[in-house]
Amino acid sequence: MIQLQKIEAVRSRLLRHPMYAALDAPDKIRTLMEYHVFAVWDFMSLLKRLQRDLTCVEIPWLPSRAPQYARFINEIVLGEETDEDGRGGYASHFDLYLNAMRECGADTGPITRFVEALTAGSDPLQALDRAGAPQAVRQFVSHTLQVARDGRTHEVAAAFFFGREDLIPDMFQRLVDALKRQGAPAERLLYYLSRHIELDADQHGPLARKLLDHLCGQDPLRCVEAERVALRSLEVREQLWNGVSAALR
């Protein structure tokens, strides 16, 4: 069984991060978004790795050995890549976030240059440098991609659950509270945040925990490896927020 004491300590510290209280003006919300959009992008690498491992995306097709978890992952992919956009259409959550950035007046230049570099065939880490991404962003994305590329499936699931699905509802609620305190004109951002709070708290979070438990089973080594990745995923998130806090000052 995964030991939760250290994980809970870092999670609790992260949710008390002083950055949330510092989000007291529209320009500070814009700064946060310019950092956080890279985390919105790299989430998909974790998800796609799980889709590759738990479903079949190859030819010839083979049936999944765990169809209940294959369905779960496919449902998340459906929502993340083609969710309802709140206006009668569909969009990826990444595109929803970009639209929210434009609504708020945040600078989409770095993330746009990053995606353009990837489209042209650049290595992601080189693309981050070319885009001028802050050091805290480069560190966060580097960790995510390392887990998605090189981690074992249970390690990817640990980053996915503890670093994303379990954390996001509480984390995003703090952002919603900050937006409402200042009355910022951020309808698209509030939609994005509220959508994740609803889906992750009620559906995706509990299922992601069941998936992680299924993958680790009673194997003590897998539990230790999952705990290590979970801790590191929370630590790099904390360092990302430290970078945002420094930029806000």
Side-chain angles (χ1 to χ4, degrees), residues 66-88:
Q68 68 273 36
Y69 298 116
R71 179 181 176 89
F72 161 55
I73 292 299
N74 281 333
E75 286 179 347
I76 297 182
V77 170
L78 177 67
E80 290 288 339
E81 282 195 312
T82 55
D83 199 8
E84 298 174 7
D85 66 0
R87 295 177 173 175

Side-chain angles (χ1 to χ4, degrees), residues 210-241:
K210 289 182 180 179
L211 169 62
L212 178 59
D213 290 343
H214 165 74
L215 292 170
C216 288
Q218 300 301 313
D219 187 325
L221 178 59
R222 288 191 177 194
C223 291
V224 169
E225 291 170 339
E227 179 184 344
R228 175 184 56 80
V229 171
L231 277 170
R232 185 59 185 153
S233 298
L234 293 172
E235 288 166 354
V236 294
R237 173 75 70 168
E238 186 175 32
Q239 291 160 6
L240 180 63
W241 279 181

Side-chain angles (χ1 to χ4, degrees), residues 34-167:
E34 290 159 12
Y35 277 68
H36 182 243
V37 66
F38 287 90
V40 176
W41 173 83
D42 76 1
F43 169 84
M44 290 302 298
S45 292
L46 294 173
L47 179 57
K48 285 296 185 177
R49 168 62 192 279
L50 290 174
Q51 186 182 37
R52 190 182 75 184
D53 289 359
L54 295 165
T55 74
C56 183
V57 293
E58 306 294 338
I59 298 173
W61 176 84
L62 293 171
S64 171
R65 290 177 292 179
Q68 68 273 36
Y69 298 116
R71 179 181 176 89
F72 161 55
I73 292 299
N74 281 333
E75 286 179 347
I76 297 182
V77 170
L78 177 67
E80 290 288 339
E81 282 195 312
T82 55
D83 199 8
E84 298 174 7
D85 66 0
R87 295 177 173 175
Y90 300 93
S92 70
H93 283 185
F94 177 71
D95 285 324
L96 286 177
Y97 201 85
L98 285 178
N99 288 335
M101 291 181 71
R102 297 184 186 106
E103 177 188 60
C104 294
D107 182 9
T108 61
I111 188 65
T112 299
R113 291 193 296 272
F114 172 66
V115 173
E116 288 173 349
L118 291 178
T119 303
S122 292
D123 173 83
L125 300 185
Q126 292 177 344
L128 286 171
D129 289 336
R130 292 177 183 175
Q135 175 60 31
V137 166
R138 293 199 295 269
Q139 185 174 11
F140 186 90
V141 174
S142 295
H143 167 75
T144 302
L145 293 180
Q146 184 273 322
V147 173
R149 284 171 163 173
D150 304 327
R152 300 170 68 189
T153 307
H154 60 280
E155 293 175 316
V156 180
F160 185 75
F161 173 67
F162 286 109
R164 308 293 175 126
E165 299 299 287
D166 177 60
L167 180 67

